[in-house]
Amino acid sequence: MTQVTDHPARGRREPGEVFGSGFTLFADMLLVGLLTSLACVPVVTAPAAFAAASATLRGSAEGGLPVKAGAYAAHLRAGIGAGSLARGLLPPVLAALVVVDAGLLRSALPGAHVMAPALVLLVLGAAAVGLRATAVAAPHRLSLREGLLRSAADPRGTLLLAGAALLAGLLAWSMPLLVPLLPGPLAFAATAVDMRAVSPSG
């Protein structure tokens, strides 16, 4: 008696699953993470790099396109412009403000015990909105306004992204060697949350 192996079943998706399962997804996230880290080296290209990662993962989820370095590079070239480079100045400015505020909080100023948690919440909120903005598809690509609107309209998804940003920060602090790989899971989380939010069942 011969057994029939149903190979296509391995590519089927469970109800509610946005991306395909299996080791391929893990490899795709590693590749996208490394490419995004390289593209973020000039700092000001970070928004365009994350947007390219999201567009690449979205193409894989919606159209079954393979995740390749060439596809990522094409999305990155299409996303780099004066506007995206100007938005790329926001993360370092925000980071500098956070460092200054953290230094002030350590100086035993009155109300520091209240401001410290507020600063953490502010950083997580900004990270969630930023990830939302990079995951938005055309014609609202890299729109901070659209990212803010979607964050307010989908608080559950925003909490998920804030949790992802917090986890990434903890991993970067505890295991710095993982830093080059972290953009991949972050872009994946932002893309999955955005696709879930705009889907009819989301």
Side-chain angles (χ1 to χ4, degrees), residues 13-112:
R13 298 173 184 172
E14 297 296 330
E17 186 180 10
V18 177
F19 293 88
S21 59
F23 185 76
T24 302
L25 174 59
F26 178 71
D28 289 345
M29 278 200 302
L30 290 181
L31 176 60
V32 168
L34 289 173
L35 293 173
T36 305
S37 294
L38 289 174
C40 286
V41 170
V43 180
V44 293
T45 56
F50 272 87
S54 178
T56 304
L57 292 171
R58 187 185 294 271
S60 176
E62 294 180 339
L65 301 176
V67 175
K68 294 184 177 179
Y72 178 89
H75 288 299
L76 181 62
R77 286 194 300 268
I80 288 182
S84 67
L85 294 179
R87 294 182 184 94
L89 295 173
L90 293 177
V93 169
L94 179 61
L97 290 176
V98 169
V99 170
V100 172
D101 289 343
L104 292 175
L105 291 177
R106 287 195 298 267
S107 63
L109 290 175

Coordinates of all heavy atoms in Angstrom, one line a residue, residues 13-112:
R13 N -2.0 27.9 5.0 CA -2.0 28.8 6.2 C -3.2 28.5 7.1 O -4.3 28.2 6.6 CB -2.0 30.2 5.8 CG -0.8 30.6 4.9 CD -0.9 32.0 4.4 NE 0.3 32.3 3.5 CZ 0.4 33.4 2.8 NH1 -0.5 34.3 2.8 NH2 1.5 33.6 2.1
E14 N -3.0 28.5 8.3 CA -4.1 28.3 9.3 C -5.0 29.6 9.3 O -4.6 30.7 8.9 CB -3.5 28.2 10.7 CG -2.6 26.9 10.8 CD -3.4 25.6 10.6 OE1 -4.7 25.6 10.9 OE2 -2.8 24.7 10.1
P15 N -6.2 29.4 9.7 CA -7.2 30.6 9.7 C -6.6 31.7 10.6 O -6.2 31.4 11.7 CB -8.4 30.0 10.3 CG -8.4 28.5 10.0 CD -6.9 28.2 10.0
G16 N -6.6 32.9 10.1 CA -6.0 34.0 10.8 C -4.5 34.2 10.7 O -4.0 35.2 11.2
E17 N -3.8 33.3 10.0 CA -2.4 33.4 9.9 C -2.0 34.3 8.7 O -2.5 34.1 7.6 CB -1.8 32.0 9.7 CG -0.3 32.0 9.7 CD 0.3 30.6 9.5 OE1 -0.5 29.7 9.2 OE2 1.5 30.5 9.7
V18 N -1.3 35.3 9.0 CA -0.9 36.3 7.9 C 0.2 35.7 7.0 O 0.1 35.8 5.8 CB -0.5 37.6 8.5 CG1 -0.1 38.6 7.5 CG2 -1.7 38.2 9.3
F19 N 1.2 35.2 7.6 CA 2.4 34.7 6.9 C 2.4 33.2 6.9 O 1.8 32.6 7.8 CB 3.7 35.3 7.5 CG 3.9 36.7 7.4 CD1 3.4 37.6 8.3 CD2 4.5 37.3 6.3 CE1 3.5 39.0 8.2 CE2 4.7 38.7 6.2 CZ 4.2 39.5 7.1
G20 N 3.1 32.7 5.9 CA 3.3 31.2 5.9 C 4.2 30.7 7.0 O 5.0 31.5 7.6
S21 N 4.1 29.5 7.4 CA 4.8 29.0 8.5 C 6.0 28.2 8.1 O 6.3 28.1 6.9 CB 3.9 28.0 9.3 OG 3.5 26.9 8.5
G22 N 6.9 27.8 9.0 CA 8.0 27.0 8.7 C 9.3 27.7 8.8 O 9.4 28.9 9.2
F23 N 10.4 27.0 8.5 CA 11.7 27.6 8.7 C 12.0 28.7 7.7 O 12.8 29.6 7.9 CB 12.8 26.5 8.5 CG 14.2 26.9 8.8 CD1 14.6 27.1 10.1 CD2 15.0 27.2 7.7 CE1 15.9 27.6 10.3 CE2 16.3 27.6 7.9 CZ 16.8 27.8 9.2
T24 N 11.3 28.7 6.5 CA 11.5 29.8 5.5 C 11.2 31.1 6.1 O 11.9 32.1 5.8 CB 10.6 29.5 4.3 OG1 10.9 28.2 3.8 CG2 10.8 30.6 3.3
L25 N 10.2 31.2 6.9 CA 9.8 32.5 7.5 C 11.0 33.0 8.5 O 11.3 34.2 8.5 CB 8.5 32.4 8.3 CG 8.1 33.6 9.2 CD1 7.9 34.8 8.3 CD2 6.9 33.3 9.9
F26 N 11.5 32.1 9.2 CA 12.6 32.4 10.1 C 13.8 32.9 9.3 O 14.5 33.9 9.6 CB 13.0 31.2 10.9 CG 14.2 31.4 11.9 CD1 14.0 32.3 13.0 CD2 15.4 30.8 11.6 CE1 15.1 32.5 13.8 CE2 16.5 31.1 12.5 CZ 16.3 31.9 13.6
A27 N 14.2 32.2 8.2 CA 15.3 32.6 7.4 C 15.0 34.0 6.7 O 15.9 34.8 6.6 CB 15.5 31.6 6.3
D28 N 13.8 34.2 6.3 CA 13.4 35.5 5.7 C 13.6 36.6 6.7 O 14.1 37.7 6.3 CB 12.0 35.5 5.2 CG 11.8 34.6 4.0 OD1 12.8 34.2 3.4 OD2 10.6 34.3 3.7
M29 N 13.2 36.4 7.9 CA 13.4 37.5 8.9 C 14.8 37.7 9.2 O 15.2 38.9 9.4 CB 12.6 37.1 10.2 CG 11.2 37.3 10.2 SD 10.5 37.4 11.9 CE 10.9 35.8 12.5
L30 N 15.7 36.7 9.2 CA 17.1 36.9 9.4 C 17.7 37.7 8.3 O 18.5 38.7 8.5 CB 17.8 35.6 9.5 CG 17.6 34.7 10.8 CD1 18.4 33.5 10.7 CD2 17.9 35.5 12.0
L31 N 17.3 37.4 7.1 CA 17.8 38.1 5.9 C 17.4 39.6 5.9 O 18.2 40.5 5.8 CB 17.4 37.4 4.6 CG 17.8 38.1 3.3 CD1 19.3 38.3 3.2 CD2 17.2 37.4 2.1
V32 N 16.1 39.8 6.2 CA 15.6 41.1 6.2 C 16.2 41.9 7.4 O 16.5 43.1 7.2 CB 14.0 41.1 6.3 CG1 13.5 42.5 6.7 CG2 13.4 40.6 5.0
G33 N 16.4 41.3 8.5 CA 17.0 41.9 9.6 C 18.5 42.4 9.3 O 18.8 43.5 9.6
L34 N 19.2 41.5 8.7 CA 20.6 41.9 8.3 C 20.7 43.0 7.3 O 21.4 44.0 7.4 CB 21.4 40.7 7.8 CG 21.7 39.6 8.9 CD1 22.3 38.4 8.2 CD2 22.7 40.2 9.9
L35 N 19.8 42.9 6.3 CA 19.7 44.0 5.2 C 19.3 45.3 5.8 O 19.9 46.4 5.5 CB 18.8 43.5 4.1 CG 19.2 42.3 3.3 CD1 18.1 41.9 2.3 CD2 20.5 42.6 2.5
T36 N 18.3 45.3 6.7 CA 17.9 46.5 7.3 C 18.9 47.1 8.2 O 19.1 48.3 8.2 CB 16.6 46.2 8.2 OG1 15.6 45.6 7.3 CG2 16.0 47.5 8.7
S37 N 19.7 46.3 9.0 CA 20.7 46.8 9.8 C 21.8 47.5 9.0 O 22.3 48.6 9.3 CB 21.4 45.7 10.6 OG 20.5 45.1 11.6
L38 N 22.2 46.9 7.8 CA 23.2 47.5 6.9 C 22.6 48.8 6.4 O 23.4 49.8 6.3 CB 23.5 46.5 5.8 CG 24.3 45.3 6.2 CD1 24.5 44.4 5.0 CD2 25.7 45.7 6.7
A39 N 21.4 48.8 6.0 CA 20.8 50.0 5.4 C 20.6 51.1 6.4 O 20.6 52.3 6.1 CB 19.4 49.7 4.8
C40 N 20.6 50.8 7.7 CA 20.4 51.8 8.8 C 21.8 52.4 9.3 O 21.7 53.3 10.1 CB 19.8 51.1 10.0 SG 18.0 50.8 9.8
V41 N 22.9 51.9 8.7 CA 24.2 52.4 9.1 C 24.3 54.0 9.0 O 24.8 54.6 9.9 CB 25.3 51.7 8.4 CG1 26.7 52.4 8.6 CG2 25.4 50.3 8.8
P42 N 23.8 54.6 7.9 CA 23.9 56.0 7.8 C 22.9 56.8 8.8 O 22.9 58.0 8.8 CB 23.5 56.3 6.4 CG 23.7 55.1 5.6 CD 23.4 54.0 6.6
V43 N 22.1 56.0 9.5 CA 21.2 56.6 10.5 C 20.0 57.2 9.9 O 18.8 56.9 10.1 CB 21.8 57.5 11.5 CG1 20.8 58.0 12.5 CG2 23.0 56.8 12.2
V44 N 20.2 58.2 9.0 CA 19.1 58.9 8.4 C 18.3 58.1 7.5 O 17.2 58.4 7.1 CB 19.5 60.2 7.7 CG1 20.0 61.2 8.7 CG2 20.6 59.9 6.7
T45 N 18.8 56.9 7.1 CA 18.1 56.0 6.2 C 17.3 55.0 6.9 O 16.7 54.1 6.3 CB 19.1 55.3 5.3 OG1 20.1 54.6 6.1 CG2 19.9 56.3 4.4
A46 N 17.2 55.1 8.2 CA 16.5 54.1 9.0 C 15.0 54.0 8.7 O 14.5 52.9 8.5 CB 16.7 54.4 10.5
P47 N 14.3 55.1 8.5 CA 12.9 54.9 8.2 C 12.7 54.2 6.8 O 11.8 53.4 6.7 CB 12.4 56.4 8.1 CG 13.3 57.1 9.0 CD 14.6 56.5 8.9
A48 N 13.5 54.6 5.8 CA 13.4 54.0 4.5 C 13.8 52.5 4.6 O 13.2 51.7 3.9 CB 14.3 54.7 3.5
A49 N 14.8 52.2 5.4 CA 15.2 50.8 5.6 C 14.1 49.9 6.2 O 13.8 48.8 5.7 CB 16.5 50.8 6.4
F50 N 13.5 50.4 7.2 CA 12.4 49.7 7.8 C 11.2 49.6 6.9 O 10.5 48.6 6.8 CB 12.0 50.3 9.2 CG 12.8 49.8 10.3 CD1 14.0 50.4 10.7 CD2 12.3 48.7 11.1 CE1 14.7 49.9 11.7 CE2 13.0 48.2 12.1 CZ 14.2 48.8 12.5
A51 N 10.9 50.7 6.1 CA 9.8 50.6 5.2 C 10.1 49.6 4.1 O 9.2 48.9 3.6 CB 9.6 52.0 4.6
A52 N 11.3 49.5 3.6 CA 11.7 48.5 2.6 C 11.6 47.1 3.2 O 11.1 46.2 2.5 CB 13.1 48.7 2.2
A53 N 11.9 46.9 4.4 CA 11.7 45.6 5.1 C 10.3 45.2 5.1 O 9.9 44.1 4.8 CB 12.3 45.6 6.5
S54 N 9.4 46.2 5.5 CA 8.0 45.9 5.6 C 7.4 45.6 4.2 O 6.6 44.7 4.0 CB 7.3 47.1 6.2 OG 5.9 46.9 6.3
A55 N 7.8 46.4 3.2 CA 7.3 46.2 1.8 C 7.7 44.8 1.3 O 7.0 44.1 0.6 CB 7.8 47.3 0.9
T56 N 8.9 44.4 1.6 CA 9.4 43.1 1.2 C 8.6 42.0 1.8 O 8.2 41.0 1.2 CB 10.9 42.9 1.5 OG1 11.7 44.0 0.9 CG2 11.5 41.6 1.0
L57 N 8.4 42.1 3.1 CA 7.6 41.1 3.8 C 6.2 41.1 3.4 O 5.5 40.0 3.3 CB 7.7 41.3 5.4 CG 9.1 41.1 6.0 CD1 9.1 41.5 7.4 CD2 9.5 39.6 5.9
R58 N 5.6 42.3 3.1 CA 4.3 42.4 2.7 C 4.1 41.7 1.3 O 3.1 41.0 1.0 CB 3.8 43.8 2.6 CG 2.3 44.0 2.3 CD 2.0 45.5 2.1 NE 2.2 46.2 3.4 CZ 1.3 46.4 4.3 NH1 0.1 45.9 4.0 NH2 1.5 47.0 5.4
G59 N 5.1 41.9 0.4 CA 5.0 41.2 -0.9 C 5.1 39.7 -0.8 O 4.4 39.0 -1.6
S60 N 5.8 39.2 0.2 CA 5.9 37.8 0.4 C 4.5 37.3 0.9 O 4.1 36.2 0.6 CB 7.0 37.5 1.4 OG 7.0 36.1 1.7
A61 N 3.9 38.0 1.8 CA 2.7 37.6 2.4 C 1.5 37.7 1.5 O 0.7 36.8 1.4 CB 2.3 38.4 3.7
E62 N 1.4 38.8 0.7 CA 0.3 39.0 -0.2 C 0.4 38.3 -1.5 O -0.6 37.8 -2.1 CB 0.0 40.5 -0.3 CG -0.4 41.2 1.0 CD -0.7 42.7 0.8 OE1 -0.1 43.2 -0.2 OE2 -1.4 43.2 1.6
G63 N 1.6 38.4 -2.1 CA 1.8 37.9 -3.4 C 2.7 36.7 -3.5 O 2.9 36.2 -4.7
G64 N 3.1 36.2 -2.4 CA 4.0 35.0 -2.5 C 5.3 35.2 -3.1 O 6.0 34.3 -3.5
L65 N 5.8 36.5 -3.1 CA 7.1 36.8 -3.7 C 8.2 36.4 -2.8 O 8.1 36.5 -1.6 CB 7.2 38.3 -4.0 CG 6.1 38.9 -4.9 CD1 6.3 40.4 -5.0 CD2 6.2 38.3 -6.3
P66 N 9.3 35.9 -3.4 CA 10.4 35.4 -2.5 C 11.1 36.6 -1.9 O 11.2 37.7 -2.5 CB 11.3 34.7 -3.5 CG 11.0 35.3 -4.8 CD 9.5 35.6 -4.8
V67 N 11.6 36.4 -0.7 CA 12.3 37.5 0.0 C 13.8 37.4 -0.4 O 14.5 36.4 0.0 CB 12.2 37.3 1.6 CG1 13.1 38.3 2.3 CG2 10.7 37.5 2.0
K68 N 14.2 38.3 -1.2 CA 15.5 38.3 -1.7 C 16.2 39.7 -1.5 O 15.5 40.7 -1.4 CB 15.6 38.0 -3.2 CG 15.1 36.6 -3.6 CD 15.2 36.3 -5.0 CE 14.9 34.9 -5.4 NZ 15.0 34.6 -6.8
A69 N 17.5 39.7 -1.5 CA 18.2 41.0 -1.3 C 17.9 42.0 -2.4 O 17.8 43.2 -2.2 CB 19.7 40.7 -1.3
G70 N 17.7 41.5 -3.7 CA 17.4 42.4 -4.8 C 16.1 43.0 -4.6 O 15.9 44.2 -4.9
A71 N 15.1 42.3 -4.1 CA 13.8 42.9 -3.9 C 13.8 43.9 -2.8 O 13.2 45.0 -2.9 CB 12.8 41.8 -3.5
Y72 N 14.6 43.6 -1.7 CA 14.7 44.6 -0.7 C 15.4 45.9 -1.2 O 15.0 47.0 -0.9 CB 15.5 44.0 0.5 CG 15.8 45.0 1.6 CD1 14.9 45.1 2.7 CD2 16.9 45.8 1.6 CE1 15.1 46.0 3.7 CE2 17.1 46.7 2.7 CZ 16.2 46.8 3.7 OH 16.4 47.7 4.7
A73 N 16.5 45.7 -2.0 CA 17.2 46.9 -2.5 C 16.3 47.7 -3.4 O 16.4 49.0 -3.4 CB 18.5 46.4 -3.3
A74 N 15.4 47.1 -4.2 CA 14.5 47.9 -5.0 C 13.6 48.7 -4.2 O 13.3 49.9 -4.5 CB 13.8 46.9 -5.9
H75 N 13.0 48.1 -3.1 CA 12.1 48.9 -2.2 C 12.9 50.0 -1.5 O 12.3 51.1 -1.3 CB 11.5 47.9 -1.2 CG 10.5 47.0 -1.8 ND1 9.3 47.4 -2.4 CD2 10.4 45.6 -1.8 CE1 8.6 46.4 -2.8 NE2 9.2 45.3 -2.4
L76 N 14.1 49.7 -1.2 CA 14.9 50.7 -0.5 C 15.2 51.9 -1.4 O 15.1 53.1 -1.0 CB 16.2 50.1 0.0 CG 17.2 51.1 0.8 CD1 16.5 51.6 2.1 CD2 18.5 50.4 1.1
R77 N 15.6 51.6 -2.6 CA 15.9 52.7 -3.6 C 14.6 53.5 -3.9 O 14.7 54.8 -4.0 CB 16.4 52.1 -4.9 CG 17.8 51.6 -4.9 CD 18.4 51.4 -6.3 NE 17.6 50.4 -7.0 CZ 17.8 49.1 -7.0 NH1 18.9 48.7 -6.3 NH2 17.1 48.3 -7.7
A78 N 13.4 52.9 -3.9 CA 12.2 53.6 -4.2 C 11.8 54.4 -3.0 O 11.1 55.4 -3.2 CB 11.1 52.6 -4.5
G79 N 12.2 54.1 -1.8 CA 11.8 54.8 -0.6 C 12.7 55.9 -0.2 O 12.3 56.8 0.6
I80 N 13.9 55.9 -0.7 CA 14.9 56.9 -0.2 C 14.6 58.2 -1.0 O 14.6 58.2 -2.2 CB 16.3 56.5 -0.4 CG1 16.7 55.4 0.6 CG2 17.3 57.6 -0.3 CD1 18.1 54.9 0.6
G81 N 14.4 59.3 -0.3 CA 14.2 60.6 -0.9 C 14.4 61.7 0.2 O 14.8 61.4 1.3
A82 N 14.2 62.9 -0.2 CA 14.4 64.0 0.7 C 13.5 63.9 1.9 O 13.9 64.2 3.1 CB 14.2 65.3 0.0
G83 N 12.3 63.5 1.7 CA 11.3 63.4 2.8 C 11.7 62.3 3.8 O 11.7 62.5 5.0
S84 N 12.1 61.1 3.3 CA 12.5 60.0 4.2 C 13.8 60.3 4.9 O 13.9 59.9 6.1 CB 12.6 58.7 3.4 OG 13.7 58.8 2.5
L85 N 14.7 61.0 4.3 CA 15.9 61.4 4.9 C 15.7 62.4 6.0 O 16.4 62.4 7.1 CB 17.0 61.9 3.9 CG 17.4 60.9 2.9 CD1 18.4 61.5 1.9 CD2 18.1 59.7 3.6
A86 N 14.8 63.3 5.8 CA 14.4 64.3 6.8 C 13.8 63.6 8.0 O 14.1 63.9 9.2 CB 13.5 65.3 6.2
R87 N 12.9 62.6 7.8 CA 12.3 61.9 8.9 C 13.3 61.0 9.6 O 13.2 60.7 10.8 CB 11.2 61.0 8.3 CG 10.0 61.7 7.8 CD 8.9 60.7 7.3 NE 7.8 61.4 6.6 CZ 7.7 61.7 5.3 NH1 8.7 61.2 4.5 NH2 6.7 62.3 4.8
G88 N 14.4 60.7 8.9 CA 15.5 59.9 9.5 C 16.2 60.7 10.6 O 17.0 60.1 11.4
L89 N 16.1 62.0 10.6 CA 16.7 62.8 11.7 C 15.9 62.7 13.0 O 16.5 63.0 14.1 CB 16.7 64.3 11.3 CG 17.6 64.6 10.0 CD1 17.4 66.1 9.6 CD2 19.1 64.3 10.3
L90 N 14.7 62.3 12.9 CA 13.9 62.2 14.2 C 14.4 61.2 15.2 O 14.5 61.5 16.4 CB 12.4 61.9 13.8 CG 11.7 63.0 13.1 CD1 10.2 62.6 12.7 CD2 11.7 64.3 13.9
P91 N 14.7 59.9 14.8 CA 15.2 59.0 15.8 C 16.4 59.4 16.5 O 16.4 59.3 17.8 CB 15.5 57.7 15.0 CG 14.5 57.8 13.8 CD 14.5 59.3 13.5
P92 N 17.5 60.0 15.9 CA 18.6 60.4 16.7 C 18.3 61.6 17.6 O 18.8 61.7 18.7 CB 19.7 60.8 15.6 CG 19.0 60.9 14.4 CD 17.8 60.0 14.4
V93 N 17.5 62.5 17.1 CA 17.1 63.6 18.0 C 16.3 63.1 19.2 O 16.5 63.6 20.3 CB 16.2 64.6 17.2 CG1 15.6 65.7 18.1 CG2 17.1 65.3 16.1
L94 N 15.4 62.2 19.0 CA 14.6 61.6 20.1 C 15.5 60.9 21.0 O 15.4 61.0 22.3 CB 13.5 60.7 19.6 CG 12.7 60.0 20.6 CD1 11.9 61.0 21.4 CD2 11.7 59.0 20.0
A95 N 16.5 60.1 20.5 CA 17.4 59.4 21.3 C 18.3 60.4 22.2 O 18.5 60.1 23.4 CB 18.4 58.5 20.5
A96 N 18.7 61.5 21.6 CA 19.5 62.5 22.3 C 18.7 63.1 23.5 O 19.2 63.3 24.6 CB 20.0 63.6 21.4
L97 N 17.4 63.4 23.2 CA 16.5 63.9 24.2 C 16.3 62.9 25.4 O 16.3 63.3 26.5 CB 15.2 64.3 23.6 CG 15.2 65.5 22.7 CD1 13.8 65.7 22.1 CD2 15.6 66.8 23.4
V98 N 16.2 61.7 25.0 CA 16.0 60.6 26.0 C 17.2 60.5 26.9 O 17.1 60.4 28.1 CB 15.7 59.3 25.4 CG1 15.7 58.1 26.4 CG2 14.3 59.3 24.7
V99 N 18.4 60.6 26.3 CA 19.7 60.5 27.0 C 19.8 61.7 28.0 O 20.1 61.5 29.2 CB 20.9 60.4 26.1 CG1 22.2 60.6 26.9 CG2 20.9 59.1 25.3
V100 N 19.4 62.9 27.5 CA 19.5 64.0 28.4 C 18.5 63.9 29.5 O 18.8 64.2 30.7 CB 19.3 65.3 27.5 CG1 19.1 66.5 28.5 CG2 20.4 65.5 26.6
D101 N 17.3 63.5 29.2 CA 16.2 63.4 30.2 C 16.6 62.3 31.2 O 16.4 62.5 32.5 CB 14.9 63.1 29.6 CG 14.3 64.3 28.8 OD1 14.8 65.4 29.1 OD2 13.4 64.1 28.0
A102 N 17.2 61.2 30.8 CA 17.6 60.1 31.7 C 18.7 60.6 32.6 O 18.7 60.3 33.8 CB 18.1 58.9 30.9
G103 N 19.6 61.4 32.1 CA 20.6 62.0 33.0 C 20.1 62.9 34.0 O 20.5 62.9 35.2
L104 N 19.0 63.7 33.6 CA 18.4 64.6 34.6 C 17.7 63.8 35.7 O 17.6 64.2 36.8 CB 17.5 65.6 33.9 CG 18.1 66.6 33.0 CD1 17.1 67.4 32.2 CD2 19.0 67.5 33.8
L105 N 17.0 62.7 35.3 CA 16.3 61.9 36.2 C 17.2 61.3 37.2 O 16.8 61.0 38.4 CB 15.5 60.8 35.5 CG 14.3 61.3 34.6 CD1 13.7 60.2 33.9 CD2 13.3 62.1 35.5
R106 N 18.4 61.0 36.8 CA 19.4 60.3 37.8 C 20.0 61.3 38.7 O 20.7 61.0 39.7 CB 20.5 59.6 37.0 CG 20.1 58.4 36.3 CD 21.3 57.5 35.9 NE 22.1 58.3 34.9 CZ 22.0 58.1 33.6 NH1 21.1 57.3 33.1 NH2 22.8 58.8 32.8
S107 N 19.7 62.6 38.5 CA 20.3 63.7 39.4 C 19.4 64.0 40.6 O 19.6 65.0 41.2 CB 20.6 64.9 38.6 OG 19.3 65.5 38.1
A108 N 18.5 63.1 40.9 CA 17.7 63.2 42.1 C 16.8 64.5 42.1 O 16.6 65.2 43.1 CB 18.5 63.2 43.4
L109 N 16.3 64.8 40.9 CA 15.4 66.0 40.9 C 14.0 65.6 41.5 O 13.6 64.5 41.5 CB 15.2 66.4 39.4 CG 16.4 67.0 38.7 CD1 16.1 67.3 37.2 CD2 16.8 68.3 39.4
P110 N 13.3 66.6 42.0 CA 12.0 66.3 42.5 C 11.0 65.8 41.4 O 11.0 66.3 40.3 CB 11.5 67.7 43.0 CG 12.7 68.5 43.2 CD 13.7 68.0 42.2
G111 N 10.3 64.7 41.7 CA 9.4 64.1 40.8 C 10.0 63.2 39.8 O 9.4 62.7 38.9
A112 N 11.3 62.8 40.1 CA 12.0 61.8 39.2 C 11.3 60.5 39.2 O 11.3 59.8 38.1 CB 13.4 61.7 39.6

